[in-house]
Amino acid sequence: MRLQLITLLGVKFDEDIYEMNISTADGEIGVFPGHEPLVTLAVPGVISVRHKKTDADDSMELFAISGGVVEISQTEIKVLVDEAESGSDIIESESKAALELAISMRDGAKDQVELEKAYQLIDRHQVRLKVAGLRRRNRP
Amino acid sequence: MPSTRALKSRIRSVGSTKQITKAMQMVAASKMRKTQDATKASTPYTLAASEILTYLASQGATRRHPMFVKREIKSRLIIFVAADKGLAGAYNSNVSKLYTKIRKQDAAAGIHTMTIGIGRRANQYVARLKDTDVVAAYDNIDDNPSGRVLHSILDLAVQKYTSGEVDSVDVVYTKFINGLRQEATTRRVLPAGFAETEVSQNIRTAEYEPDVDTVLDAVVYRLVGAQIFQALLDAKASEYSMRMIAMKNATDNANDLVDDLTLAMNKARQGAITQELAEISGGVEALKD
């Protein structure tokens, strides 16, 4: 089935795949060819993609996303994401530093708006770190 | 007639100005190409969101949604987009003129206007006007203003609208038509509107999880975001096109000026030589006697 990751900056990923796992508001779901048509919401988290049926778990491609709308049909998945980053683009040490910065921002927040921003950043960097961690574990 | 030395130094100074304007023209041209490509990149996103919305609207779900409710306009929020820098031809003044015109019309109709300023020139302009209600000001935003800046603008606009503080949200920006034409214009983003598209069988038969209203919420929010994003990108592409043309004109003018000055300098030099020759032959004649 076809998977498209669509962001405001263009189509980030557009390939035939066998399986996709994504975190939605109701928990994590796995999508295989022939899935029932479904429109649902993705929460900040990890998308993992298996390109071929025979691919092993450790060769799955990973993306960090910051939430979006998922449109699933029997032959096609469209994910409208706010931001998507491929696992290979994430540098673990940078994300760790950014997460610490976000946490200090939360502690020093002066008003509700700053606090909200800090929480958003914390979510985002935690997701990135999770992706980076998964990649490290999967590497031989 | 000015001396050759004075002319020479003027030629040199015009020449270095030309180098600068030429460099600025090249920079603007390359940025223009990049932003121009980016203006098309968000189309698939907008289309996919519009498709879901078209279906949900046909099911009547949008009728009761707070972002679709139309109210009589008593106050409105304007997102005013201009550049951070000058030297872009009429870019800043065109869009500022439109903004002022709308403000005047609103004032005559008794509508209260609030403003979000984007770009340093926009904020400077707004700050000079009387009785402005500035809600937020952004300077130096990226050429690809997704992520945090976009979300903070979007959140603010949505919050003002759904709380009933404003009855419409409009973006005043410069629409990019092509490399030669850009137009200052307004676009209404709230109450939400969208271009109806064809709805695939899949969207019609799909389940909506957790429920239709939650999905609708998320999709409308993203579509309004995409519309604001598109306006910001258009503004950037227009800015760079106009800056490129302004700088091209400046370079051409500098070339003409250098040509004129060189001609004047040559004339002055030739004049001096002729005069010296006349003096020498005059001296020779005087000695003969």
Side-chain angles (χ1 to χ4, degrees):
Chain A
M1 67 196 312
R2 195 85 179 162
L3 170 65
Q4 285 187 315
L5 293 184
I6 307 172
T7 72
L8 276 174
L9 303 177
V11 180
K12 188 110 185 169
F13 180 93
D14 186 2
E15 279 174 44
D16 283 323
I17 59 150
Y18 172 70
E19 175 194 349
M20 176 191 81
N21 295 296
I22 187 168
S23 312
T24 71
D26 293 343
E28 188 163 323
I29 58 169
V31 185
F32 294 88
H35 196 283
E36 279 292 294
L38 172 72
V39 177
T40 185
L41 302 178
V43 293
V46 183
I47 294 182
S48 52
V49 175
R50 199 190 299 277
H51 289 264
K52 288 196 206 79
K53 194 175 180 179
T54 49
D55 281 355
D57 275 357
D58 55 10
S59 64
M60 282 169 94
E61 194 169 350
L62 302 170
F63 295 92
I65 63 157
S66 60
V69 180
V70 192
E71 193 191 317
I72 298 168
S73 75
Q74 300 205 340
T75 56
E76 191 180 50
I77 312 169
K78 274 188 203 161
V79 189
L80 293 184
V81 281
D82 307 329
E83 271 173 75
E85 271 176 300
S86 165
S88 49
D89 292 344
I90 297 171
I91 299 164
E92 198 172 1
S93 55
E94 267 182 18
S95 294
K96 219 173 237 167
L99 179 63
E100 273 158 24
L101 189 72
I103 289 172
S104 69
M105 232 176 94
R106 177 195 65 189
D107 296 340
K110 282 189 276 313
D111 52 31
Q112 198 61 34
V113 182
E114 273 184 37
L115 201 64
E116 292 276 329
K117 284 265 131 54
Y119 274 119
Q120 268 177 20
L121 281 177
I122 289 173
D123 278 350
R124 180 150 135 218
H125 291 300
Q126 272 172 346
V127 170
R128 284 170 157 196
L129 278 179
K130 196 168 150 197
V131 170
L134 280 174
R135 262 173 67 79
R136 194 155 33 94
R137 212 179 55 204
N138 287 343
R139 237 176 277 151
Chain B
M1 186 177 273
S3 73
T4 23
R5 195 136 54 104
L7 283 169
K8 216 180 221 170
S9 82
R10 273 200 72 195
I11 291 175
R12 211 176 306 131
S13 88
V14 173
S16 50
T17 309
K18 191 186 93 179
Q19 273 183 339
I20 295 172
T21 54
K22 180 95 188 167
M24 287 168 88
Q25 179 194 335
M26 306 292 238
V27 171
S30 99
K31 285 194 172 172
M32 182 192 80
R33 270 191 292 276
K34 240 181 257 166
T35 44
Q36 223 172 312
D37 291 344
T39 54
K40 293 170 205 130
S42 67
T43 315
Y45 190 96
T46 315
L47 271 182
S50 301
E51 191 185 346
I52 299 178
L53 277 184
T54 308
Y55 172 72
L56 292 179
S58 72
Q59 299 301 300
T62 55
R63 237 172 286 148
R64 52 183 190 274
H65 192 276
M67 278 161 82
F68 280 97
V69 180
K70 289 197 176 67
R71 297 184 287 256
E72 193 199 335
I73 297 176
K74 292 197 196 80
S75 68
R76 71 154 139 196
L77 177 65
I78 295 180
I79 303 176
F80 174 34
V81 192
D84 285 309
K85 296 182 194 122
L87 293 181
Y91 175 76
N92 287 313
S93 64
N94 281 353
V95 73
S96 302
K97 240 182 261 164
L98 178 66
Y99 171 74
T100 319
K101 194 176 128 201
I102 293 171
R103 286 277 309 267
K104 274 193 190 131
Q105 282 169 356
D106 281 2
I111 296 169
H112 178 70
T113 341
M114 292 180 216
T115 305
I116 296 180
I118 297 175
R120 195 175 303 129
R121 289 287 157 139
N123 292 320
Q124 283 171 350
Y125 186 80
V126 172
R128 279 200 300 269
L129 297 176
K130 269 189 299 179
D131 312 323
T132 38
D133 186 352
V134 181
V135 191
Y138 298 86
D139 280 350
N140 277 327
I141 61 166
D142 287 349
D143 286 351
N144 261 334
S146 64
R148 281 172 68 190
V149 174
L150 178 67
H151 276 117
S152 88
I153 299 169
L154 177 60
D155 285 345
L156 194 60
V158 169
Q159 183 258 326
K160 292 263 180 224
Y161 185 78
T162 48
S163 70
E165 212 177 317
V166 295
D167 305 308
S168 86
V169 178
D170 301 86
V171 189
V172 176
Y173 70 110
T174 310
K175 189 179 170 71
F176 181 82
I177 299 165
N178 56 43
L180 296 170
R181 269 192 70 195
Q182 300 86 26
E183 215 172 73
T185 171
T186 58
R187 174 170 193 175
R188 176 147 300 175
V189 289
L190 281 168
F194 56 92
E196 292 201 3
T197 53
E198 218 162 286
V199 180
S200 68
Q201 186 59 32
N202 174 48
I203 296 278
R204 253 185 270 270
T205 52
E207 289 249 3
Y208 287 81
E209 276 182 8
D211 54 66
V212 168
D213 285 339
T214 318
V215 172
L216 179 62
D217 247 353
V219 179
V220 181
Y221 178 80
R222 283 180 174 78
L223 192 73
V224 173
Q227 287 169 349
I228 296 178
F229 179 73
Q230 188 64 46
L232 293 179
L233 277 186
D234 262 48
K236 282 282 177 196
S238 306
E239 179 192 334
Y240 289 127
S241 307
M242 287 172 98
R243 172 161 294 139
M244 189 191 78
I245 288 170
M247 287 302 112
K248 189 180 174 305
N249 289 340
T251 312
D252 292 348
N253 284 342
N255 273 332
D256 290 350
L257 201 54
V258 167
D259 288 350
D260 289 351
L261 287 172
T262 312
L263 194 65
M265 192 185 73
N266 289 343
K267 263 188 193 157
R269 194 187 55 203
Q270 196 54 51
I273 294 170
T274 315
Q275 199 188 340
E276 266 178 46
L277 279 177
E279 276 165 12
I280 291 169
S281 55
V284 171
E285 284 302 312
L287 285 177
K288 269 184 188 165
D289 293 334

